[in-house]
Amino acid sequence: SFHFQQINIMGRTNQGQGVLTTYGPDLAHILVMDPAMFQFDDLLPLFKKLTNRDILPIHEELKLSDRQEFDAYIFNLLGLSKIQVDDFYDSYLSLVDSRIQRANING
């Protein structure tokens, strides 16, 4: 979710109908976590749960326990509190909703 929010912030919405794209220059502004932060023995099982199913629309995705477990691992590494995580999700969903709403108005 951390990465996808950045894509929503840095991505381009010039394709119409709310499509979001990123190109080479956009990627230079996307933060990447240092792999040394991860304990891969802990992260891999969480990641594998996500890869065994289709990713759902964001409002549904963020309600799923496997997504929440994966995100909790990442947010814990970042030192975020429960309130900060809730604020993160609220702002993320707001960005997505705003992009889709603009697409519906302009489309």
Side-chain angles (χ1 to χ4, degrees), residues 14-94:
N14 58 353
Q15 301 294 311
Q17 298 183 338
V19 172
L20 188 65
T21 58
T22 53
Y23 298 95
D26 307 323
L27 299 176
H29 302 286
I30 294 175
L31 300 174
V32 177
M33 294 179 69
D34 181 354
M37 294 176 68
F38 301 110
Q39 295 294 323
F40 285 98
D41 290 343
D42 296 333
L43 182 63
L44 191 57
L46 299 172
F47 179 72
K48 282 187 176 183
K49 286 182 187 179
L50 295 177
T51 63
N52 288 326
R53 64 169 178 80
D54 291 336
I55 300 298
L56 301 174
I58 193 62
H59 284 279
E60 296 171 49
E61 183 69 26
L62 294 181
K63 294 177 184 174
L64 298 178
S65 61
D66 59 349
R67 169 60 63 185
Q68 291 173 359
E69 288 178 54
F70 184 83
D71 284 353
Y73 179 85
I74 302 299
F75 293 143
N76 184 53
L77 290 176
L78 294 173
L80 298 183
S81 70
K82 169 80 167 106
I83 292 171
Q84 289 171 315
V85 170
D86 291 343
D87 288 346
F88 169 86
Y89 284 133
D90 288 344
S91 67
Y92 180 19
L93 293 173
S94 179

